[in-house]
Amino acid sequence: MLSLDPLSSEWDCPLGSKDLDREEGPWRGSAGLPPAACFPGPWRQDVGLDCKGSPEGAEARAWTVYYYNLLQSCLQQAGLPETQDRSQVPRTGYPGAEVTLCILGPPSTFLSVLLEGGVQSPGNLLLCLSPAWLTKVPAPRQPGEATLMVSKAVSFHPGGLTFLDDFAPPRRATYFLAGLGPGPGWGREAAELARNLTCPTGATAELARLLEERLLMRQLLSQQGGVAVPATLAFTYKPPGLLRRGHASPGLHLVELSGKEGQESLVKEEVGAFLHSEALASASQVAVKLSGWRWLGRQTLRLHPRAEPDAVVSTVMALLEKLEEEESVMVEAMCPPAQLPFPDGPLRGPELAVRICAMVCRTQGDRPLLSKVLCGVGRGDRPLRHQNTLPRTLDAALAQCGLREAAQVEVVWRRVKTAAEAALAAVLALEAGLSAEQRGGRQARTDFLGVDFALTVVGRELTPVLLKLNCGLCLEACGALEGLWAAPRPGRAAEEAAAAPLVETMLRRSAHCLMEGKQLLVIGAGGTSKKFVWEAARHYGLKLHVVDADPNHFVSQLVQTFIHFDVTEHRKDEENAHLLAEQVRARGLQLDGCFSFWDDCLVLTALLCQELGLPCSPPAAMRLAKQKSHTQLHLLCHQGPPWPAPSLHAVPCCPLQTEADVERAIHQVPLPGVMKLEFGSGAVGVQLVKDGPQCREHFTRISRDLQGETDYPGIGLGWGNAMLLMEFVEGTEHDVDLVVFGGQLLAAFVSDNGPTRLPGFTETAACMPTRLAPEQEAQMVQAAFRCCLGCGLLNGVFNVELKLTGCGPKLIEINPRMGGFYLRNWILELYGVDILLASAMVACGLRPALPPHPRARGHLVGIMCVLSQHLQVLSSTTVRDTLQALHDQGLLHYNLLEESLVPGKYEEPFCNVACGGHTPAEACHRLLGLCQGLGIDGPNYPVAHFLSHFK
């Protein structure tokens, strides 16, 4: 159990006050009461800060008023309107069905997160100004855990609009983040509220205390993260268990004391050895300080010249009297200010020193991501603090100290990025080995970290040396820096907020919370390419019930319920939907939703949802999108307002069922054209036709070869083998994957395709994110969205294939399900968005928790392998094992799409191999080298040509 008792703001060591320098922290003020502060402003004071049913005492009420005024002051300084009180009319909402991101903490610390949350998820990021506004309710199905309910909060909306809201009934939190500390205020209440919640938690007192164990963190980071830390001598009394299990680290010497008295000779010996050791390098001063949770935000330090060991010993002995268990007295080297090189002269010491603060966030797959770097600049002869320096960019800080060379600044930035991300990676690795009790709950994780560095010289190289880890101070400093740039200058692109990745993580974890335990019916189990579905379902805690025609399908052993039912005869979809609904009711399945990711089963799924009263796009819309010629012809007629109309994107076409239809189509559709199956998928049977004879020949061949489901399972022949002829349009080909809910576009992801293998249209290569100019990308997204709306597709994740022509985007086809092949994995890797989870949420009638404009964290370029060209290469188990091993190591992305190594008459991709990079050119270079090394590249399969679109 943590000790969170309020402490005196001073300790009574007999030291000269002129040499004391207070450590900074958010927890200030006299014991129990908020600090005296003046908040000049015209905002109203008669607002409803009381929470019904949870009366506050005078002290707690004082803190609530203080934080409300602090919020108004922060909004005022940011040029934003004051909070509007609408608590007299409670918000009703749908408890448990909406994303609810809740923060309990100082508004000044979390303002950047709150404003960013108002943009990414309007009205769903809530600031609680008092613990009384929150209630923990025991979770019936999770013993020892509790649900957090929000009765009152300040909600944030786009444009910085804020509202004081009451919620009746209370909203269930899907993510909780608390500002924690041992000082005055409501630290104890915040710690208790954060402990053992059913919802994801971004901070607990247990995790915060670990981060504040400065000795433990330095040992961890120097050992596992390879991060430079100051040379440190520590005297500790009964050190924490995690520290005792560690091994010695370079430059970090731990002395475990048997008691707090009679240690002077040992201290004198150890201090003398430390001050004369090579570990201190060129440091001329040392700092003596207390380390431990109790001293967060209220300890003091004293600087001593390295040449005065007696003074250091005297200070250490005075501090030893204050030690309690698991605390330490630290003597650490003061990193000398960096001597920055000048182009026309030798090294010289500047009068200014630089302290660097880096914000790093946990993203998809528990990977750290640097989100912002800022600096403080001050005199080099005294410690720099967050709150006594103005934040500025790294470029500006280094330029002020004389370093303006762009390449050298880039080197410093890269080193900061590497060290900061390594720091969070080490913390996450430590947390992964802790029990739920040690973390403060099953759902507790550290989602963001502030990392403070001193910039010094090690071996004539500018090196960031890690001083401490924190959360609130760096976050607050980033918000202050971004506030300086609230009005972007002409020609200056808006920079991503430091809190943007954190809010994305909050939304992602909220989605997991909302979907855990949901019961979903999946129609059609798919094949090899969909194996990720079952792994993801287990990860998200989904309960899946599957309907499929193959009684021996491997999925039958991986799901809650397996229903064997012939779903391949689509002419009977209405009848089958009725029969399936009866089976569902007979089995007593209590479903939250029903969906499909398999082309063949989309109409049946919509009909079944209609039978069961579950959310889905209308069956008529699904039928329209499923039949390709009907899609185009319907959109061609859709010419009314609003403009631009979907008809601008449709392509002339003609349905083909008989030879007479072919003759008529030859005269109606401009040639060259494209012939394809009406209900086909995977580009099977798609052919470029240049004239009448080629049209007749291809129609005859398809009519003969592909008559029913048994001729080529899984490509839609259960609907029949009707075809269509459409005009061939020149241009680059692109996929647009959309997330649509209630007719609103929530997210879109655009990828580029390389040239197809004519006269067929088998995909060869792809790149994500798109290389299109922003205006063209926006045109593609809007075209895809208009076409979906034009067909009545209002809810779901849809994949739309288009070409960008000289006349704008033209529709190839709509796939009214999430993108196939590699698309789901690529989007997850680059954007941290899982369109599979989004599909499941829409199927449950829940608005997907997505950032509106996620930014890609790099580039992916991939190549398809086909058996007609790569059978010999892929027949080698060594090659396939190598690809899988490189995938497992994160060096490439390997998506297996088929398992059979028997070439078919009609070509389909067997697998996709992709490489990543900071730029498309870098990804292309890596991929081409891999393809040449493995034999994927060849005269008949010129990979360099297929990648030429992306450079």
Side-chain angles (χ1 to χ4, degrees):
M1 180 67 70
L2 293 174
S3 173
L4 296 175
D5 295 328
L7 300 172
S8 169
S9 61
E10 297 286 351
W11 49 273
D12 56 352
C13 290
L15 303 174
S17 60
K18 65 178 182 177
D19 294 318
L20 294 179
D21 190 357
R22 172 170 300 283
E23 283 279 345
E24 59 194 334
W27 303 99
R28 302 273 182 91
S30 59
L33 294 174
C38 178
F39 296 113
W43 55 83
R44 294 177 54 184
Q45 296 292 332
D46 58 336
V47 292
L49 297 179
D50 294 325
C51 186
K52 296 181 179 67
S54 300
E56 293 182 304
E59 182 181 307
R61 171 72 178 182
W63 278 102
T64 304
V65 172
Y66 169 78
Y67 280 132
Y68 179 80
N69 285 314
L70 177 59
L71 171 62
Q72 302 315 305
S73 182
C74 291
L75 294 173
Q76 179 191 53
Q77 292 187 41
L80 299 172
E82 72 173 277
T83 300
Q84 299 300 305
D85 184 0
R86 57 182 189 186
S87 59
Q88 300 306 313
V89 182
R91 309 290 103 185
T92 52
Y94 303 94
E98 64 259 287
V99 169
T100 302
L101 313 175
C102 180
I103 291 179
L104 174 66
S108 54
T109 299
F110 293 104
L111 186 65
S112 60
V113 182
L114 296 163
L115 294 175
E116 178 67 20
V119 173
Q120 291 200 30
S121 190
N124 294 325
L125 201 149
L126 308 178
L127 171 65
C128 289
L129 301 175
S130 167
W133 296 6
L134 295 156
T135 308
K136 288 177 78 170
V137 179
R141 293 190 295 273
Q142 292 164 313
E145 295 186 357
T147 300
L148 187 66
M149 308 301 293
V150 187
S151 300
K152 191 183 195 72
V154 178
S155 60
F156 284 71
H157 299 259
L161 296 179
T162 55
F163 299 93
L164 181 61
D165 287 326
D166 276 15
F167 303 102
R171 289 179 65 160
R172 177 171 72 99
T174 59
Y175 183 94
F176 183 57
L177 181 60
L180 298 163
W186 24 251
R188 184 189 301 275
E189 291 88 344
E192 183 53 41
L193 284 169
R195 187 176 290 116
N196 293 325
L197 294 177
T198 57
C199 71
T201 310
T204 61
E206 288 80 358
L207 294 180
R209 183 166 185 169
L210 277 180
L211 293 178
E212 285 301 323
E213 293 286 354
R214 194 173 300 193
L215 198 56
L216 172 63
M217 287 298 108
R218 288 190 179 178
Q219 184 184 70
L220 175 72
L221 298 177
S222 60
Q223 288 179 349
Q224 298 185 19
V227 179
V229 299
T232 305
L233 168 66
F235 298 94
T236 182
Y237 175 61
K238 296 185 179 180
L242 288 172
L243 186 64
R244 280 198 294 264
R245 290 198 295 270
H247 301 288
S249 301
L252 183 62
H253 183 53
L254 173 65
V255 179
E256 185 172 349
L257 303 175
S258 57
K260 294 185 289 183
E261 299 177 353
Q263 305 291 331
E264 186 169 359
S265 59
L266 174 62
V267 169
K268 188 172 183 179
E269 178 184 351
E270 293 289 353
V271 167
F274 177 71
L275 295 180
H276 289 90
S277 69
E278 295 181 358
L280 269 70
S282 59
S284 61
Q285 290 182 305
V286 294
V288 185
K289 61 180 70 174
L290 282 162
S291 177
W293 177 254
R294 283 197 311 147
W295 304 105
L296 173 61
R298 49 174 54 84
Q299 73 151 303
T300 57
L301 63 81
R302 188 171 186 180
L303 298 179
H304 292 286
R306 181 177 176 182
E308 298 180 3
D310 291 343
V312 176
V313 171
S314 176
T315 304
V316 171
M317 293 304 299
L319 293 180
L320 286 181
E321 298 178 8
K322 298 296 174 183
L323 279 191
E324 294 186 0
E325 293 185 10
E326 301 189 354
E327 296 178 348
S328 60
V329 177
M330 294 173 56
V331 183
E332 68 176 38
M334 289 293 294
C335 297
Q339 293 181 316
L340 301 180
F342 284 76
D344 301 321
L347 296 177
R348 69 179 180 92
E351 296 179 355
L352 300 176
V354 176
R355 176 159 170 164
I356 299 174
C357 165
M359 271 295 299
V360 58
C361 300
R362 184 169 72 95
T363 60
Q364 174 66 34
D366 290 340
R367 287 177 297 186
L369 175 70
L370 180 71
S371 65
K372 183 79 74 177
V373 175
L374 56 85
C375 296
V377 177
R379 290 179 52 175
D381 59 351
R382 61 184 58 179
L384 296 179
R385 303 292 181 217
H386 275 284
Q387 294 171 341
N388 65 10
T389 62
L390 289 174
R392 62 201 73 191
T393 63
L394 180 66
D395 296 45
L398 294 181
Q400 185 175 353
C401 295
L403 189 68
R404 297 179 176 86
E405 190 70 33
Q408 293 176 315
V409 174
E410 175 69 16
V411 168
V412 175
W413 185 87
R414 286 286 173 193
R415 289 174 181 166
V416 170
K417 174 180 172 64
T418 299
E421 292 181 348
L424 181 55
V427 169
L428 296 181
L430 174 68
E431 290 181 4
L434 301 178
S435 66
E437 182 180 3
Q438 288 174 309
R439 293 197 311 272
R442 176 177 59 92
Q443 295 273 34
R445 299 289 188 277
T446 295
D447 285 332
F448 74 105
L449 202 60
V451 189
D452 282 329
F453 297 97
L455 187 62
T456 188
V457 174
V458 178
R460 292 188 63 84
E461 288 189 345
L462 284 173
T463 303
V465 176
L466 190 147
L467 300 177
K468 63 178 293 188
L469 304 179
N470 71 76
C471 292
L473 290 170
C474 279
L475 187 62
E476 189 166 350
C478 288
L481 178 67
E482 291 163 2
L484 296 174
W485 301 91
R489 294 174 294 174
R492 181 182 180 273
E495 188 177 353
E496 186 173 23
L502 172 59
V503 174
E504 290 178 14
T505 295
M506 295 163 74
L507 288 171
R508 182 165 50 248
R509 295 188 68 191
S510 286
H512 297 185
C513 175
L514 285 169
M515 292 302 292
E516 187 176 13
K518 285 287 188 285
Q519 308 273 343
L520 287 118
L521 185 66
V522 180
I523 311 301
T528 302
S529 64
K530 304 302 182 187
K531 281 187 174 180
F532 67 83
V533 171
W534 321 113
E535 299 167 1
R538 184 170 61 252
H539 172 68
Y540 295 133
L542 302 178
K543 309 298 183 184
L544 297 188
H545 312 273
V546 175
V547 177
D548 196 77
D550 180 4
N552 300 313
H553 200 289
F554 69 87
V555 169
S556 62
Q557 306 302 313
L558 304 177
V559 295
Q560 303 291 307
T561 308
F562 185 83
I563 301 175
H564 174 223
F565 191 94
D566 185 5
V567 295
T568 62
E569 183 49 71
H570 299 294
R571 296 179 181 88
K572 298 181 179 179
D573 273 349
E574 291 193 12
E575 177 185 342
N576 288 340
H578 181 69
L579 294 173
L580 273 174
E582 289 183 347
Q583 287 208 30
V584 167
R585 295 186 186 104
R587 291 170 182 261
L589 300 182
Q590 301 297 313
L591 299 176
D592 297 294
C594 173
F595 76 116
S596 179
F597 46 77
W598 200 240
D599 276 292
D600 257 15
C601 300
L602 298 174
V603 174
L604 174 60
T605 300
L607 289 165
L608 181 56
C609 288
Q610 186 174 262
E611 286 272 349
L612 296 173
L614 296 172
C616 189
S617 286
M622 285 292 191
R623 284 196 181 97
L624 192 57
K626 182 61 185 169
Q627 191 164 359
K628 298 177 178 63
S629 67
H630 285 198
T631 305
Q632 300 283 5
L633 295 173
H634 174 80
L635 294 177
L636 280 170
C637 298
H638 209 302
Q639 298 182 1
W643 183 86
S647 58
L648 290 174
H649 311 300
V651 178
C653 67
C654 188
L656 310 174
Q657 289 188 317
T658 66
E659 292 181 359
D661 294 334
V662 176
E663 295 302 322
R664 183 172 60 256
I666 291 171
H667 296 92
Q668 290 182 357
V669 178
L671 297 178
V674 179
M675 290 188 71
K676 60 173 73 174
L677 289 165
E678 278 276 24
F679 305 98
S681 61
V684 175
V686 184
Q687 182 87 11
L688 177 68
V689 287
K690 298 180 180 179
D691 52 32
Q694 286 188 358
C695 292
R696 299 182 190 97
E697 178 186 352
H698 189 62
F699 180 81
T700 300
R701 181 166 61 252
I702 295 297
S703 299
R704 180 187 64 242
D705 294 348
L706 304 176
Q707 296 184 10
E709 181 70 18
T710 56
D711 294 325
Y712 209 121
I715 65 164
L717 292 173
W719 296 86
N721 64 349
M723 300 185 71
L724 74 149
L725 175 65
M726 62 184 296
E727 181 182 358
F728 175 74
V729 292
E730 294 282 359
T732 55
E733 190 170 334
H734 307 268
D735 278 55
V736 182
D737 287 270
L738 306 173
V739 181
V740 181
F741 184 78
Q744 291 187 325
L745 177 62
L746 303 187
F749 308 93
V750 183
S751 55
D752 304 339
N753 291 337
T756 52
R757 279 167 53 80
L758 299 176
F761 284 85
T762 307
E763 183 178 322
T764 58
C767 173
M768 182 181 276
T770 178
R771 298 286 292 143
L772 294 174
E775 180 180 337
Q776 293 174 316
E777 179 183 11
Q779 287 180 346
M780 299 297 283
V781 170
Q782 286 303 311
F785 183 44
R786 286 190 206 103
C787 290
C788 288
L789 290 184
C791 291
L793 297 171
L794 304 179
N795 291 283
V797 178
F798 309 124
N799 171 258
V800 184
E801 300 175 28
L802 302 112
K803 274 193 172 182
L804 182 59
T805 73
C807 298
K810 296 295 181 182
L811 177 67
I812 299 174
E813 62 188 48
I814 298 174
N815 300 302
R817 40 77 182 161
M818 70 177 182
F821 293 155
Y822 48 80
L823 284 169
R824 177 262 180 180
N825 292 347
W826 281 21
I827 293 169
L828 183 60
E829 170 72 17
L830 291 174
Y831 297 96
V833 172
D834 193 343
I835 57 175
L836 169 62
L837 185 62
S839 298
M841 292 189 76
V842 174
C844 293
L846 298 176
R847 182 187 179 94
L850 300 174
H853 301 289
R855 295 191 182 189
R857 312 299 182 191
H859 296 263
L860 283 173
V861 177
I863 195 79
M864 289 292 196
C865 295
V866 293
L867 293 181
S868 63
Q869 300 297 320
H870 304 120
L871 179 60
Q872 183 175 353
V873 172
L874 296 171
S875 295
S876 167
T877 55
T878 301
V879 170
R880 297 201 304 276
D881 289 347
T882 298
L883 288 172
Q884 187 62 54
L886 292 173
H887 173 86
D888 294 340
Q889 296 170 34
L891 299 176
L892 57 78
H893 297 265
Y894 175 52
N895 284 91
L896 188 64
L897 307 176
E898 297 289 342
E899 287 186 340
S900 173
L901 279 167
V902 180
K905 188 172 183 179
Y906 296 93
E907 191 169 80
E908 275 192 295
F910 178 81
C911 67
N912 182 273
V913 180
C915 289
H918 295 295
T919 65
E922 181 183 345
C924 285
H925 178 73
R926 290 178 178 173
L927 182 59
L928 181 57
L930 178 74
C931 291
Q932 290 172 341
L934 293 178
I936 296 172
D937 181 44
N940 296 323
Y941 205 80
V943 172
H945 168 65
F946 296 145
L947 302 182
S948 60
H949 283 23
F950 312 140
K951 292 185 178 179

